[in-house]
Amino acid sequence: MTLFGVLGFTTPWLLLGLLALPILWVILRAVPPAPIRRRFPGVALLLGLRDEEQVSDRTPWWLLLLRMLAVAAVIIGLAGPVLNPQTEDSAAGTGPLLVVMDASWASADDWRARQTALDALMTRAARDDRTVGLLSLTEPEAVRFQSADVMRSRIEGVLPNPWEPSAEMLKAALAALPEGGFDSYWMSDGLDRDIREDLLSTLEERGTVTVFESPRSLYALEPARFEDGAVRITAHRLRSGPATEVSLTGHGLDPAGNPAVLVRSPVMFEADATTATTEISLPAELRARMTRFEIEGSRSAGAVAMTDDSLRRREVALIAGRDDREGLELLSPLHYLSRALDPTAELLDGALTDVLPANPDVIVLADVATLSPGERDAVTEWVEGGGMLLRFAGPRLAASEVSRDAEDPLMPVRLRAGGRSVGGAMSWGEPKAIAPFDEDSPFHGLEIPPDVTVSSQVMAQPDPSLASRVIAQLTDGTPLVTRKPVGQGQVVLFHVTANAEWSTLPLSGLFVRMLERLAVSSAVGQGEAQELEGTIWQPVTVLDAFGRENDAGTLPGVAGEDLASAPLGPDLRPGLYEGENRALARNVLAQDAVLPPAAWPERITVEGLTRPQETPLSGWLIALALALLAADIVASLALSGRLRGPRAGLAAIGIALLTLSPQHAQAQTDTQEQTEAQRQDTTDEPRAIEATSDVVLAHVLTGDEQVDDLARAGLYGLSQTLFFRTSVEPADPMGVDLETDELSFFPFLYWPITADQPLPSDAAYAKLNEYLRSGGMILFDTRDADVAGFGSDTPENRRLRQIAAPLDIPPLEPVPADHVLTRTFYLLQDFPGRYAGRDLWVEAAPPDAELIEGMPFRNLNDNVTPVVIGGNDWASAWAMDSSGNPMVPVGRGFGGERQREIAYRFGVNLVMHVLTGNYKSDQVHVPALLDRLGN
């Protein structure tokens, strides 16, 4: 490309045509030739007549200039002018081009600008005939160089992830690099990482490395913490600068249960400061309803701080069986409990009947033996409603008859009389230590200090249920802590006192951690790995890279130690996680985190994302030439006197049409097409009537014409099969545009997955979730069983995960042998399509679904599985033309046709399941099914 300042030309030799303009001027100036004057007397007879057509004796100079400009515009337009062309220094080389993207949460805030820059790179690579590969460091895969036009079509599908590249990911990226030389464009997220040095060195060995980096301000939040009666939040910015104020918003549920902004507070960054802290005073009720804080205007997971139980100080009522003795505070039954709980809980004092109306989260009874009937009934009702009753032993309880002959409803076990102590009737030779906690204990993983010993305890009566209720025991096997569920709540008993009379446990940090594990209190901030070791936490809500909340769906649980300290990644995403009795938030930034700006070596060229992008001008110049030629035609008609009357109006309309730019015309065409599509797809009454008059099977339009045509042919073949074999008489299938079509018309959607189909919009996802919740079914078909069956992760599988992430999909399982899909119309064991190598996934059965004796299947509910997922390419097996002939071969010979027949039967079962539910689970069908099964 030849450059002239900010203007470049792809074929500059065509500009030589401008040299012919003076010659053309002379030629046009000489035509027509000057007329010769002759006197003729008969001309007097023509006086008074007017000639409608006039011919000028010489072309006006302004008309010649108009024509010269039109010719010049054509010549320059054909020379391929480009505004702000990329210089050769910024993209040296002609070989393969590798685009390396950090693709982390820090890239999300200006992701659209990154896609624009990436599109410009692809355009230049296509012009230079360079192949392009793409490597995402947060999700590294083997690099394949493809044509720039193919890679350009996949730009919209490239998305950032809500985690940063880890050392393991960079090692995988190194292994994924192809052999041979290539140039690299590294689209950095602006954060510094020492672990990328090896990758950078390797890329420099292969070719030139150029870095794209945004100069924008990146903001992030540390987790919110509750200190000194206020919520304290620390914000970070990537680079220092002038004093800046950002707005912090707190989101949660209003009293009606609707999402709302509950608080807004400014955060002020001082000049040259990279951190700023704000304190927000919120009442306990408002803190309990808070779900997240975020920096207003920032679109990244780092700018969001999810909240958990750390902001919700649990209300704990402390009730003692005796009054404190003056001057002996350390002997008070409540002293150590108050010291352990006061930093993290709201402590309530008063009589039991006074604190119950406040509905506390926990009631602690320290050496309280006997409750009045009124207190017993009130406490029992409170526990059954979800409260936790925490009891501690003591002299009063040891001497009472509570839970002796029969188990007390408010005690987890029966007790022996008297208890046991050093030197007592059931004497120990020396104090006993605590045994390591079992794996099923909530205290599993806690380290037991060697100086924690027990000298006295109340003993539990041996009982068949005792072993299942012991959650902590001494080294001799006697119970230390027991627990049992009561309704929605639970009762827990420490078999020692709450003070240091019977043990040294209240003097240790283990006591505080045991209370935290029981969710008596909420630890401020993120739990330590040691405290969470041995626990499993289930994700409830996770964030994407843009800071949007998504349902965790079927994501697996996370070990407690990983939740506390492991780096974020595909298996540990930022979001809210729930334990047995507590919720913890894992945010992108940890407490006291820093945002180090990237510092690239001086030898590396760094370019900003805000640089002017290349703009081709050929289309504009050709359009200008057409407009000038149109003006020339009108001017010539005017000079000749032929532009009068209706011709003048027609000429004006012609000029208006011809002077429209191609971009404006294209935009108008797109708008008209969109309006027409909306008119036909959403408001066209005949289409709605056609879709609802009969059963209509529909398929989702993917944008791939070949796939869409095959899906339509497949549903046509299935509809014909239903028509001839069942009482269902479907109409012709329809294609569905998720953005514009109404989905409730169709009971069944077939969705073929392609690797590059666009993701639905938020509005489309809302329609899809409503469709699934209202009884619709979607069959996702990745069509990759021919390769996925060998354990590979195909592009279609990865695209399906991206598409399904925002959908409200229940837990799934492979189709069990007794699922109703195996018998809705035909008795089936396999579900092949064109291929027969993939499992079929449906909604998981309820945990309480049991096989009843004498029944060949479990008693399941009547719901229809909202999704069915597989990869056997059923549309190809179902597809038939208008004559009823199969369109796609399946297998070979009789075996292949048998496989096609089973595929048709699966389709029939699927549609019958959609239309009739689980009616084949009714007992009325048992005799016939047993007979068919040969039992």
Side-chain angles (χ1 to χ4, degrees):
M1 177 182 291
T2 302
L3 302 180
F4 300 94
V6 297
L7 191 65
F9 294 90
T10 56
T11 53
W13 60 269
L14 288 178
L15 296 177
L16 296 175
L18 296 176
L19 299 177
L21 291 181
I23 301 174
L24 184 62
W25 175 279
V26 174
I27 294 175
L28 293 178
R29 188 69 177 169
V31 178
I36 301 176
R37 298 180 179 273
R38 294 285 187 268
R39 293 183 179 275
F40 180 59
V43 174
L45 298 175
L46 303 178
L47 294 176
L49 298 178
R50 185 174 181 180
D51 190 359
E52 295 292 339
E53 297 183 0
Q54 301 177 6
V55 179
S56 176
D57 62 344
R58 192 172 297 276
T59 305
W61 68 268
W62 55 268
L63 186 58
L64 286 176
L65 180 61
L66 191 68
R67 293 172 179 173
M68 293 299 99
L69 291 176
V71 174
V74 171
I75 294 174
I76 297 175
L78 294 178
V82 178
L83 185 64
N84 300 318
Q86 299 280 346
T87 63
E88 295 298 330
D89 292 338
S90 66
T94 57
L97 177 66
L98 176 64
V99 179
V100 181
M101 307 184 73
D102 284 340
S104 72
W105 62 267
S107 306
D109 200 15
D110 58 357
W111 190 252
R112 179 57 61 185
R114 294 174 185 273
Q115 288 182 317
T116 302
L118 186 57
D119 184 78
L121 291 176
M122 298 299 177
T123 301
R124 176 167 175 76
R127 186 168 60 240
D128 296 341
D129 293 328
R130 304 182 70 179
T131 56
V132 180
L134 186 63
L135 177 62
S136 172
L137 297 185
T138 54
E139 203 170 5
E141 298 177 354
V143 176
R144 293 188 303 169
F145 287 110
Q146 297 177 310
S147 69
D149 291 332
V150 172
M151 293 299 295
R152 188 178 182 185
S153 66
R154 297 174 53 189
I155 292 178
E156 289 297 328
V158 180
L159 295 174
N161 289 305
W163 57 81
E164 296 184 33
S166 63
E168 291 74 14
M169 294 175 185
L170 290 182
K171 290 180 181 179
L174 277 172
L177 293 178
E179 298 294 333
F182 51 82
D183 294 334
S184 302
Y185 281 85
W186 193 323
M187 305 196 78
S188 170
D189 60 7
L191 297 179
D192 192 31
R193 300 181 185 89
D194 295 336
I195 57 178
R196 68 182 172 201
E197 292 299 329
D198 292 342
L199 179 59
L200 180 59
S201 300
T202 303
L203 293 179
E204 287 185 287
E205 293 173 359
R206 303 294 182 89
T208 303
V209 177
T210 303
V211 173
F212 284 82
E213 190 171 296
S214 175
R216 93 293 187 202
S217 295
L218 175 66
Y219 295 97
L221 293 177
E222 291 185 14
R225 57 189 188 275
F226 186 78
E227 294 181 356
D228 301 328
V231 178
R232 183 186 296 267
I233 302 176
T234 299
H236 295 261
R237 62 177 176 178
L238 183 60
R239 297 179 178 88
S240 60
T244 305
E245 182 179 283
V246 297
S247 179
L248 180 71
T249 58
H251 297 254
L253 302 178
D254 62 16
N258 301 315
V261 176
L262 302 182
V263 64
R264 182 176 275 106
S265 175
V267 179
M268 187 67 190
F269 286 92
E270 301 294 337
D272 298 327
T274 57
T275 61
T277 302
T278 184
E279 292 185 356
I280 307 174
S281 296
L282 298 174
E285 180 185 358
L286 202 58
R287 292 200 312 270
R289 291 194 272 114
M290 201 69 66
T291 58
R292 75 183 189 278
F293 291 93
E294 64 181 42
I295 296 177
E296 199 167 21
S298 292
R299 296 177 60 252
S300 75
V304 177
M306 301 285 288
T307 62
D308 52 24
D309 288 347
S310 62
L311 294 188
R312 181 179 178 270
R313 290 168 62 92
R314 293 169 65 87
E315 295 181 342
V316 180
L318 301 180
I319 311 295
R322 59 181 175 179
D323 296 331
D324 295 342
R325 288 176 286 177
E326 184 177 356
L328 297 176
E329 184 180 12
L330 294 180
L331 296 180
S332 167
L334 301 181
H335 172 73
Y336 295 100
L337 285 170
S338 299
R339 293 289 301 272
L341 300 176
D342 184 64
T344 58
E346 297 284 352
L347 301 183
L348 305 181
D349 295 324
L352 185 57
T353 54
D354 295 333
V355 298
L356 275 173
N359 192 28
D361 297 290
V362 181
I363 293 179
V364 179
L365 300 182
D367 197 21
V368 175
T370 305
L371 298 177
S372 67
E375 289 177 332
R376 180 182 300 276
D377 294 341
V379 172
T380 302
E381 181 180 359
W382 171 81
V383 173
E384 291 177 345
M388 184 174 77
L389 179 63
L390 178 61
R391 307 191 69 163
F392 284 86
R396 292 180 176 234
L397 184 61
S400 71
E401 296 298 322
V402 174
S403 200
R404 292 285 191 260
D405 298 330
E407 183 179 305
D408 190 282
L410 297 180
M411 292 290 287
V413 294
R414 291 175 57 203
L415 301 178
R416 287 185 180 180
R420 182 169 69 161
S421 64
V422 175
M426 292 182 290
S427 177
W428 286 326
E430 58 183 6
K432 296 297 182 181
I434 301 176
F437 302 114
D438 295 336
E439 291 186 359
D440 57 350
S441 169
F443 310 131
H444 177 68
L446 294 181
E447 182 179 354
I448 302 173
D451 58 345
V452 174
T453 58
V454 175
S455 58
S456 298
Q457 68 174 143
V458 292
M459 299 289 294
Q461 286 279 11
D463 187 89
S465 62
L466 177 61
S468 63
R469 297 181 181 181
V470 175
I471 57 177
Q473 59 186 357
L474 302 179
T475 52
D476 63 353
T478 55
L480 175 64
V481 184
T482 53
R483 178 178 64 176
K484 78 171 181 180
V486 178
Q488 299 296 320
Q490 56 182 327
V491 177
V492 180
L493 172 64
F494 276 74
H495 291 239
V496 294
T497 57
N499 58 17
E501 288 184 355
W502 286 13
S503 73
T504 60
L505 178 62
L507 301 176
S508 68
L510 177 63
F511 185 62
V512 179
R513 293 195 293 271
M514 292 176 72
L515 294 178
E516 290 174 355
R517 286 289 183 92
L518 290 172
V520 175
S521 64
S522 298
V524 177
Q526 181 69 42
E528 298 294 335
Q530 184 179 4
E531 298 175 3
L532 303 182
E533 186 177 357
T535 60
I536 298 296
W537 298 76
Q538 188 65 34
V540 179
T541 301
V542 294
L543 297 178
D544 64 10
F546 301 100
R548 298 173 300 198
E549 294 185 25
N550 299 294
D551 184 71
T554 58
L555 289 177
V558 177
E561 55 271 26
D562 293 339
L563 180 63
S565 59
L568 295 175
D571 300 325
L572 177 60
R573 305 176 184 226
L576 187 65
Y577 292 78
E578 280 190 352
E580 187 173 356
N581 292 293
R582 181 182 172 193
L584 280 180
R586 177 64 191 269
N587 291 292
V588 171
L589 259 62
Q591 294 286 0
D592 302 323
V594 294
L595 290 182
W600 297 92
E602 294 184 358
R603 64 182 184 276
I604 301 297
T605 302
V606 180
E607 300 176 350
L609 293 173
T610 57
R611 61 177 299 171
Q613 299 299 326
E614 287 187 349
T615 305
L617 300 179
S618 296
W620 290 96
L621 290 172
I622 297 299
L624 176 62
L626 292 175
L628 293 175
L629 291 176
D632 175 77
I633 294 173
V634 175
S636 299
L637 292 175
L639 290 176
S640 65
R642 299 177 182 177
L643 194 62
R644 292 186 177 89
R647 296 179 180 178
L650 294 175
I653 295 175
I655 292 176
L657 292 176
L658 291 176
T659 54
L660 287 174
S661 66
Q663 289 78 4
H664 179 74
Q666 181 63 38
Q668 186 179 27
T669 302
D670 293 342
T671 302
Q672 291 175 348
E673 291 177 354
Q674 182 178 3
T675 303
E676 182 65 22
Q678 292 176 350
R679 182 182 301 112
Q680 291 181 356
D681 295 336
T682 62
T683 62
D684 188 6
E685 291 186 4
R687 175 182 171 87
I689 294 174
E690 181 182 1
T692 55
S693 297
D694 295 297
V695 174
V696 175
L697 308 183
H699 63 94
V700 175
L701 297 175
T702 65
D704 187 318
E705 185 176 356
Q706 183 177 0
V707 173
D708 292 340
D709 290 344
L710 188 60
R712 179 179 178 84
L715 293 185
Y716 173 78
L718 179 58
S719 298
Q720 293 298 307
T721 303
L722 288 166
F723 180 84
F724 288 108
R725 300 188 185 187
T726 71
S727 60
V728 181
E729 299 180 357
D732 289 340
M734 293 184 179
V736 171
D737 187 337
L738 297 177
E739 305 296 334
T740 58
D741 283 351
E742 175 59 49
L743 304 182
S744 61
F745 296 156
F746 310 101
F748 170 80
L749 290 180
Y750 174 74
W751 193 334
I753 303 298
T754 60
D756 55 356
Q757 65 181 261
L759 294 175
S761 65
D762 292 342
Y765 272 122
K767 290 198 299 183
L768 284 167
N769 282 327
E770 180 62 27
Y771 174 77
L772 294 175
R773 293 167 185 150
S774 58
M777 175 193 284
I778 301 178
L779 171 61
F780 292 97
D781 190 354
T782 55
R783 308 173 300 111
D784 58 358
D786 55 333
V787 294
F790 298 98
S792 61
D793 189 15
T794 64
E796 290 79 9
N797 260 336
R798 293 191 292 271
R799 197 58 172 172
L800 174 60
R801 289 197 294 269
Q802 294 175 349
I803 290 175
L807 294 177
D808 187 11
I809 296 177
L812 304 177
E813 66 177 357
V815 175
D818 61 346
H819 195 277
V820 73
L821 267 178
T822 63
R823 59 182 184 278
T824 48
F825 195 85
Y826 292 102
L827 293 179
L828 298 177
Q829 296 178 342
D830 300 310
F831 312 96
R834 185 182 183 186
Y835 312 115
R838 288 291 302 273
D839 288 333
L840 189 70
W841 292 79
V842 296
E843 180 180 5
D848 57 351
E850 298 180 355
L851 184 64
I852 300 176
E853 185 177 357
M855 292 281 288
F857 43 77
R858 290 173 293 175
N859 185 20
L860 302 175
N861 56 35
D862 291 331
N863 292 332
V864 174
T865 176
V867 296
V868 178
I869 299 178
N872 289 337
D873 194 4
W874 289 283
S876 295
W878 296 337
M880 65 173 58
D881 57 22
S882 57
S883 301
N885 299 316
M887 297 176 58
V888 179
V890 175
R892 295 183 179 179
F894 175 78
E897 291 308 310
R898 178 62 180 172
Q899 181 173 326
R900 188 192 304 276
E901 171 61 23
I902 300 300
Y904 279 129
R905 295 186 179 186
F906 165 64
V908 171
N909 277 20
L910 197 64
V911 175
M912 298 299 287
H913 179 48
V914 174
L915 299 179
T916 64
N918 289 348
Y919 83 107
K920 277 297 182 72
S921 292
D922 296 340
Q923 292 188 359
V924 68
H925 302 285
V926 171
L929 290 172
L930 290 175
D931 183 64
R932 292 282 304 278
L933 291 170
N935 295 329

